[in-house]
Amino acid sequence: MAKKTMTLNLTDAEMEVLEALCEQKQMSKTLLMRQALRLYQRVEERLEAGGKLFIEDGSTKEKSEIMML
Amino acid sequence: MSKKENLDISEVYLLDNHAGTVVEAELWDAITEKNLADWEADWIPHLFELLKSLKQKGVERRLWPQSRHWHWSDKVKAIEGKLSNQCFSIVCDGNTQALMITDLMRRAQLDAQKNSHLVYMDYLEVAPWNRGELIGRSPKYSGAGSILIRAAIELSKQEGFRGRIGLHSLPQSNDFYANKVGMTDLGSDENYQNLRYFEMTPEQADEFVMKGEDL
Protein backbone atom coordinates (compact mmCIF):
# COMPACT_ATOMS: atom_id res chain seq x y z
CA MET A 1 0.00 0.00 0.00
CA ALA A 2 1.36 3.44 -0.94
CA LYS A 3 2.55 5.53 2.00
CA LYS A 4 2.98 9.29 2.42
CA THR A 5 5.56 11.08 4.52
CA MET A 6 4.84 13.88 6.98
CA THR A 7 6.86 15.98 9.39
CA LEU A 8 5.71 15.90 13.00
CA ASN A 9 6.61 18.72 15.41
CA LEU A 10 6.72 17.61 19.05
CA THR A 11 7.81 19.26 22.28
CA ASP A 12 10.69 17.75 24.22
CA ALA A 13 8.24 16.23 26.67
CA GLU A 14 6.16 14.69 23.91
CA MET A 15 9.24 13.33 22.21
CA GLU A 16 10.43 11.80 25.49
CA VAL A 17 7.12 10.01 25.89
CA LEU A 18 7.20 8.83 22.29
CA GLU A 19 10.72 7.48 22.66
CA ALA A 20 9.92 5.80 25.97
CA LEU A 21 6.91 4.07 24.42
CA CYS A 22 8.97 3.00 21.42
CA GLU A 23 11.54 1.50 23.78
CA GLN A 24 8.87 -0.21 25.86
CA LYS A 25 7.05 -1.62 22.83
CA GLN A 26 10.20 -2.23 20.77
CA MET A 27 8.60 -0.37 17.88
CA SER A 28 9.79 2.43 15.61
CA LYS A 29 8.26 5.90 15.95
CA THR A 30 6.40 5.47 12.68
CA LEU A 31 4.88 2.14 13.69
CA LEU A 32 3.97 3.42 17.13
CA MET A 33 2.24 6.51 15.71
CA ARG A 34 0.33 4.34 13.23
CA GLN A 35 -0.84 2.09 16.07
CA ALA A 36 -1.85 5.14 18.10
CA LEU A 37 -3.89 6.44 15.16
CA ARG A 38 -5.72 3.12 14.87
CA LEU A 39 -6.54 3.21 18.56
CA TYR A 40 -7.69 6.84 18.38
CA GLN A 41 -9.98 6.06 15.43
CA ARG A 42 -11.50 3.03 17.17
CA VAL A 43 -12.12 4.87 20.43
CA GLU A 44 -13.67 7.84 18.62
CA GLU A 45 -15.98 5.57 16.65
CA ARG A 46 -17.20 3.84 19.79
CA LEU A 47 -17.73 7.15 21.59
CA GLU A 48 -19.56 8.67 18.64
CA ALA A 49 -21.81 5.61 18.62
CA GLY A 50 -22.75 6.37 22.22
CA GLY A 51 -20.27 4.10 23.96
CA LYS A 52 -18.21 4.86 27.06
CA LEU A 53 -14.57 4.05 27.69
CA PHE A 54 -13.71 2.22 30.92
CA ILE A 55 -10.55 0.82 32.45
CA GLU A 56 -11.15 -2.29 34.57
CA ASP A 57 -8.79 -3.15 37.40
CA GLY A 58 -7.54 -6.66 36.68
CA SER A 59 -7.76 -7.82 40.30
CA THR A 60 -10.62 -5.86 41.86
CA LYS A 61 -12.69 -5.65 38.65
CA GLU A 62 -13.40 -2.04 39.62
CA LYS A 63 -14.22 0.07 36.57
CA SER A 64 -13.30 3.70 36.11
CA GLU A 65 -14.58 5.72 33.21
CA ILE A 66 -12.14 7.68 31.08
CA MET A 67 -13.55 11.05 30.14
CA MET A 68 -12.83 11.97 26.53
CA LEU A 69 -13.04 15.42 25.00
CA MET B 1 4.99 -7.70 -5.52
CA SER B 2 2.85 -5.95 -8.14
CA LYS B 3 0.05 -3.41 -7.93
CA LYS B 4 -3.42 -3.36 -9.48
CA GLU B 5 -6.08 -0.78 -8.63
CA ASN B 6 -4.36 0.15 -5.33
CA LEU B 7 -3.94 -3.53 -4.44
CA ASP B 8 -0.66 -5.05 -3.38
CA ILE B 9 -0.46 -8.43 -5.06
CA SER B 10 2.05 -11.11 -4.10
CA GLU B 11 2.71 -14.26 -6.06
CA VAL B 12 2.00 -17.40 -4.05
CA TYR B 13 1.55 -21.07 -4.90
CA LEU B 14 -1.21 -23.58 -4.25
CA LEU B 15 -1.25 -27.33 -4.77
CA ASP B 16 -3.82 -28.34 -7.39
CA ASN B 17 -4.75 -31.77 -6.05
CA HIS B 18 -6.81 -32.74 -9.07
CA ALA B 19 -4.02 -32.03 -11.55
CA GLY B 20 -1.28 -33.03 -9.14
CA THR B 21 0.68 -29.84 -9.84
CA VAL B 22 1.69 -26.64 -8.10
CA VAL B 23 -0.06 -23.61 -9.57
CA GLU B 24 0.49 -19.86 -9.33
CA ALA B 25 -1.97 -17.82 -7.32
CA GLU B 26 -2.23 -14.24 -6.08
CA LEU B 27 -2.33 -12.97 -2.52
CA TRP B 28 -4.22 -9.64 -2.40
CA ASP B 29 -3.97 -7.27 0.57
CA ALA B 30 -7.72 -6.56 0.43
CA ILE B 31 -11.14 -8.10 -0.01
CA THR B 32 -12.58 -6.47 -3.11
CA GLU B 33 -15.95 -6.41 -4.85
CA LYS B 34 -14.64 -9.18 -7.09
CA ASN B 35 -13.91 -11.39 -4.05
CA LEU B 36 -17.36 -10.71 -2.61
CA ALA B 37 -18.97 -11.50 -5.97
CA ASP B 38 -17.07 -14.82 -6.04
CA TRP B 39 -18.24 -15.56 -2.50
CA GLU B 40 -21.85 -14.81 -3.35
CA ALA B 41 -22.00 -16.42 -6.79
CA ASP B 42 -19.70 -19.42 -6.25
CA TRP B 43 -19.02 -20.12 -2.57
CA ILE B 44 -22.61 -19.87 -1.34
CA PRO B 45 -24.18 -22.15 -4.01
CA HIS B 46 -21.34 -24.64 -3.49
CA LEU B 47 -21.85 -24.53 0.27
CA PHE B 48 -25.59 -24.96 -0.19
CA GLU B 49 -25.06 -28.11 -2.26
CA LEU B 50 -22.61 -29.37 0.35
CA LEU B 51 -25.15 -28.85 3.14
CA LYS B 52 -27.85 -30.67 1.15
CA SER B 53 -25.48 -33.56 0.61
CA LEU B 54 -24.56 -33.71 4.31
CA LYS B 55 -28.25 -33.68 5.24
CA GLN B 56 -29.05 -36.48 2.79
CA LYS B 57 -26.25 -38.54 4.28
CA GLY B 58 -27.68 -38.00 7.75
CA VAL B 59 -24.67 -36.07 9.02
CA GLU B 60 -25.47 -34.24 12.28
CA ARG B 61 -25.70 -30.43 12.04
CA ARG B 62 -22.92 -30.03 14.59
CA LEU B 63 -20.60 -31.58 12.02
CA TRP B 64 -21.62 -29.21 9.23
CA PRO B 65 -19.21 -26.39 8.27
CA GLN B 66 -19.19 -24.13 11.33
CA SER B 67 -18.44 -21.04 9.25
CA ARG B 68 -21.57 -21.57 7.13
CA HIS B 69 -23.34 -18.54 8.62
CA TRP B 70 -20.45 -16.15 7.90
CA HIS B 71 -21.64 -13.31 5.68
CA TRP B 72 -18.50 -11.83 4.16
CA SER B 73 -20.22 -8.82 2.57
CA ASP B 74 -21.52 -7.73 5.97
CA LYS B 75 -18.18 -8.34 7.64
CA VAL B 76 -16.30 -6.27 5.08
CA LYS B 77 -18.88 -3.49 5.17
CA ALA B 78 -18.61 -3.33 8.98
CA ILE B 79 -14.88 -2.54 8.87
CA GLU B 80 -14.90 -0.18 5.88
CA GLY B 81 -12.44 2.66 6.49
CA LYS B 82 -11.17 1.26 9.78
CA LEU B 83 -7.39 1.47 10.15
CA SER B 84 -7.32 -1.37 12.66
CA ASN B 85 -8.47 -4.02 10.21
CA GLN B 86 -6.50 -5.45 7.31
CA CYS B 87 -8.06 -7.87 4.82
CA PHE B 88 -6.48 -10.47 2.56
CA SER B 89 -7.70 -12.74 -0.22
CA ILE B 90 -6.22 -15.44 -2.41
CA VAL B 91 -7.19 -15.64 -6.07
CA CYS B 92 -6.37 -18.55 -8.36
CA ASP B 93 -7.79 -19.61 -11.70
CA GLY B 94 -9.95 -16.48 -11.75
CA ASN B 95 -11.76 -17.33 -8.53
CA THR B 96 -11.37 -16.46 -4.85
CA GLN B 97 -9.92 -19.38 -2.92
CA ALA B 98 -9.71 -17.94 0.60
CA LEU B 99 -10.55 -14.80 2.61
CA MET B 100 -9.26 -13.31 5.87
CA ILE B 101 -9.91 -10.27 8.08
CA THR B 102 -7.36 -9.32 10.72
CA ASP B 103 -7.50 -6.90 13.66
CA LEU B 104 -4.41 -4.98 14.78
CA MET B 105 -5.79 -3.72 18.09
CA ARG B 106 -5.73 -6.91 20.16
CA ARG B 107 -3.17 -7.75 22.85
CA ALA B 108 -1.41 -11.03 23.57
CA GLN B 109 -2.57 -13.25 26.43
CA LEU B 110 0.28 -15.74 26.72
CA ASP B 111 2.36 -15.00 29.86
CA ALA B 112 5.56 -14.77 27.82
CA GLN B 113 4.15 -11.93 25.71
CA LYS B 114 1.21 -10.69 27.76
CA ASN B 115 -0.24 -7.35 26.62
CA SER B 116 2.09 -7.12 23.62
CA HIS B 117 0.49 -6.15 20.33
CA LEU B 118 -0.36 -8.92 17.91
CA VAL B 119 -2.26 -9.51 14.68
CA TYR B 120 -5.56 -11.13 15.59
CA MET B 121 -7.07 -13.25 12.84
CA ASP B 122 -10.72 -12.36 13.15
CA TYR B 123 -12.03 -14.49 10.29
CA LEU B 124 -10.31 -16.94 7.96
CA GLU B 125 -12.20 -19.15 5.55
CA VAL B 126 -11.21 -21.13 2.47
CA ALA B 127 -13.59 -21.83 -0.41
CA PRO B 128 -15.89 -24.83 0.16
CA TRP B 129 -14.27 -26.82 -2.67
CA ASN B 130 -10.92 -26.50 -0.88
CA ARG B 131 -12.15 -28.11 2.34
CA GLY B 132 -11.39 -31.79 1.94
CA GLU B 133 -12.60 -32.70 5.43
CA LEU B 134 -16.07 -31.43 4.52
CA ILE B 135 -16.48 -32.51 0.92
CA GLY B 136 -15.21 -36.01 1.66
CA ARG B 137 -12.71 -36.06 -1.16
CA SER B 138 -9.52 -34.36 -2.19
CA PRO B 139 -9.83 -30.55 -2.14
CA LYS B 140 -9.32 -28.65 -5.38
CA TYR B 141 -6.50 -26.54 -3.94
CA SER B 142 -4.42 -27.04 -0.80
CA GLY B 143 -2.31 -24.49 1.04
CA ALA B 144 -4.56 -21.43 1.08
CA GLY B 145 -5.04 -21.46 4.86
CA SER B 146 -1.30 -21.70 5.50
CA ILE B 147 -0.61 -18.84 3.07
CA LEU B 148 -3.03 -16.61 4.98
CA ILE B 149 -1.40 -17.50 8.30
CA ARG B 150 1.97 -16.58 6.80
CA ALA B 151 0.43 -13.31 5.57
CA ALA B 152 -0.74 -12.56 9.13
CA ILE B 153 2.76 -13.31 10.46
CA GLU B 154 4.32 -11.06 7.82
CA LEU B 155 1.87 -8.26 8.66
CA SER B 156 2.71 -8.71 12.34
CA LYS B 157 6.41 -8.28 11.55
CA GLN B 158 5.77 -5.24 9.35
CA GLU B 159 3.82 -3.57 12.15
CA GLY B 160 6.53 -4.21 14.71
CA PHE B 161 4.68 -7.05 16.45
CA ARG B 162 7.53 -9.50 15.69
CA GLY B 163 5.31 -12.23 14.21
CA ARG B 164 2.88 -12.55 17.11
CA ILE B 165 -0.60 -13.66 15.99
CA GLY B 166 -3.72 -14.90 17.75
CA LEU B 167 -7.16 -16.30 16.93
CA HIS B 168 -10.24 -18.03 18.25
CA SER B 169 -10.71 -21.31 16.45
CA LEU B 170 -13.91 -22.98 15.36
CA PRO B 171 -13.92 -26.51 16.84
CA GLN B 172 -13.40 -28.11 13.41
CA SER B 173 -10.09 -26.24 13.08
CA ASN B 174 -8.66 -26.80 16.57
CA ASP B 175 -6.46 -29.67 15.46
CA PHE B 176 -5.09 -27.67 12.52
CA TYR B 177 -4.00 -24.69 14.62
CA ALA B 178 -2.65 -26.78 17.51
CA ASN B 179 -0.81 -29.48 15.62
CA LYS B 180 -0.14 -28.34 12.05
CA VAL B 181 0.37 -24.64 12.64
CA GLY B 182 1.99 -25.12 16.04
CA MET B 183 0.20 -22.38 17.98
CA THR B 184 -0.20 -22.48 21.75
CA ASP B 185 -3.68 -23.48 22.92
CA LEU B 186 -4.83 -21.27 25.80
CA GLY B 187 -8.10 -23.17 26.20
CA SER B 188 -11.77 -22.24 25.94
CA ASP B 189 -12.58 -18.55 26.19
CA GLU B 190 -15.80 -18.01 28.12
CA ASN B 191 -15.92 -14.45 26.79
CA TYR B 192 -15.91 -15.66 23.19
CA GLN B 193 -18.55 -18.37 22.75
CA ASN B 194 -16.24 -20.81 24.54
CA LEU B 195 -14.11 -21.11 21.42
CA ARG B 196 -10.50 -22.12 22.05
CA TYR B 197 -8.00 -19.28 21.86
CA PHE B 198 -4.66 -19.90 20.14
CA GLU B 199 -1.60 -17.70 20.08
CA MET B 200 1.75 -17.74 18.33
CA THR B 201 5.02 -16.36 19.69
CA PRO B 202 7.75 -14.87 17.46
CA GLU B 203 9.70 -18.12 17.83
CA GLN B 204 6.71 -20.23 16.81
CA ALA B 205 6.10 -17.86 13.89
CA ASP B 206 9.66 -18.34 12.63
CA GLU B 207 9.29 -22.09 12.99
CA PHE B 208 6.01 -22.06 11.08
CA VAL B 209 7.45 -19.99 8.24
CA MET B 210 10.49 -22.28 8.04
CA LYS B 211 8.39 -25.42 7.64
CA GLY B 212 5.77 -23.63 5.54
CA GLU B 213 6.50 -25.45 2.33
CA ASP B 214 5.50 -28.77 3.90
CA LEU B 215 2.04 -27.65 5.02
Side-chain angles (χ1 to χ4, degrees):
Chain A
M1 196 170 292
K3 293 187 174 66
K4 294 182 176 175
T5 303
M6 65 173 282
T7 303
L8 186 62
N9 295 315
L10 298 177
T11 63
D12 287 347
E14 289 163 343
M15 183 60 85
E16 277 178 26
V17 170
L18 177 60
E19 287 176 342
L21 283 170
C22 288
E23 173 72 20
Q24 182 187 342
K25 299 292 177 187
Q26 295 186 300
M27 293 166 72
S28 69
K29 293 186 181 74
T30 297
L31 292 177
L32 193 124
M33 293 303 291
R34 289 173 60 189
Q35 188 69 1
L37 188 56
R38 291 184 194 115
L39 176 61
Y40 194 12
Q41 185 196 42
R42 181 168 287 191
V43 169
E44 282 299 308
E45 281 171 352
R46 295 290 179 92
L47 292 173
E48 282 175 19
K52 289 183 177 179
L53 186 63
F54 289 92
I55 296 287
E56 184 181 85
D57 187 292
S59 52
T60 66
K61 303 297 178 192
E62 188 180 339
K63 288 181 181 172
S64 52
E65 184 180 352
I66 296 178
M67 303 304 292
M68 302 289 286
L69 295 175
Chain B
M1 186 181 291
S2 62
K3 287 185 180 294
K4 181 167 68 177
E5 297 170 3
N6 292 324
L7 279 177
D8 277 349
I9 299 174
S10 302
E11 188 176 290
V12 292
Y13 296 91
L14 295 172
L15 176 61
D16 182 336
N17 292 292
H18 297 177
T21 57
V22 172
V23 294
E24 279 185 20
E26 292 181 342
L27 172 66
W28 296 3
D29 71 339
I31 294 176
T32 67
E33 279 301 314
K34 183 258 185 302
N35 301 126
L36 295 176
D38 289 346
W39 166 75
E40 197 161 359
D42 296 322
W43 288 34
I44 290 178
H46 205 96
L47 187 61
F48 186 64
E49 289 303 316
L50 175 61
L51 295 181
K52 278 204 296 189
S53 168
L54 292 173
K55 185 187 170 196
Q56 282 166 2
K57 290 174 186 166
V59 175
E60 295 175 59
R61 283 180 70 235
R62 66 182 177 84
L63 299 174
W64 293 6
Q66 289 156 340
S67 58
R68 63 185 184 274
H69 60 282
W70 287 5
H71 195 290
W72 281 95
S73 291
D74 286 351
K75 293 184 187 309
V76 171
K77 190 176 178 188
I79 58 167
E80 207 171 44
K82 295 190 191 306
L83 298 174
S84 53
N85 297 99
Q86 171 70 54
C87 299
F88 293 92
S89 54
I90 295 176
V91 175
C92 181
D93 193 24
N95 207 338
T96 300
Q97 305 298 333
L99 297 168
M100 179 170 73
I101 297 175
T102 66
D103 183 349
L104 303 175
M105 295 307 303
R106 303 288 187 102
R107 301 290 187 111
Q109 297 180 25
L110 258 178
D111 283 342
Q113 54 190 20
K114 204 166 185 64
N115 285 331
S116 297
H117 296 295
L118 53 67
V119 170
Y120 178 78
M121 298 162 68
D122 235 341
Y123 301 99
L124 186 163
E125 187 175 22
V126 298
W129 52 86
N130 293 332
R131 301 184 63 177
E133 83 283 9
L134 295 175
I135 59 179
R137 59 180 185 277
S138 180
K140 171 64 175 162
Y141 296 112
S142 296
S146 297
I147 289 169
L148 290 178
I149 293 169
R150 281 201 290 278
I153 291 170
E154 184 58 31
L155 175 64
S156 174
K157 290 182 175 181
Q158 284 174 11
E159 295 298 334
F161 306 163
R162 302 181 60 215
R164 291 183 293 265
I165 62 171
L167 59 88
H168 285 89
S169 170
L170 292 173
Q172 286 166 345
S173 302
N174 286 342
D175 179 62
F176 175 72
Y177 292 117
N179 298 315
K180 289 196 173 166
V181 180
M183 299 175 80
T184 300
D185 182 356
L186 280 80
S188 298
D189 186 347
E190 62 182 19
N191 297 316
Y192 203 93
Q193 299 157 45
N194 285 318
L195 296 180
R196 300 191 84 80
Y197 177 70
F198 290 86
E199 208 165 279
M200 184 177 266
T201 63
E203 295 74 23
Q204 288 170 324
D206 288 342
E207 199 173 320
F208 176 78
V209 171
M210 289 287 285
K211 73 176 182 184
E213 299 304 316
D214 299 329
L215 288 168

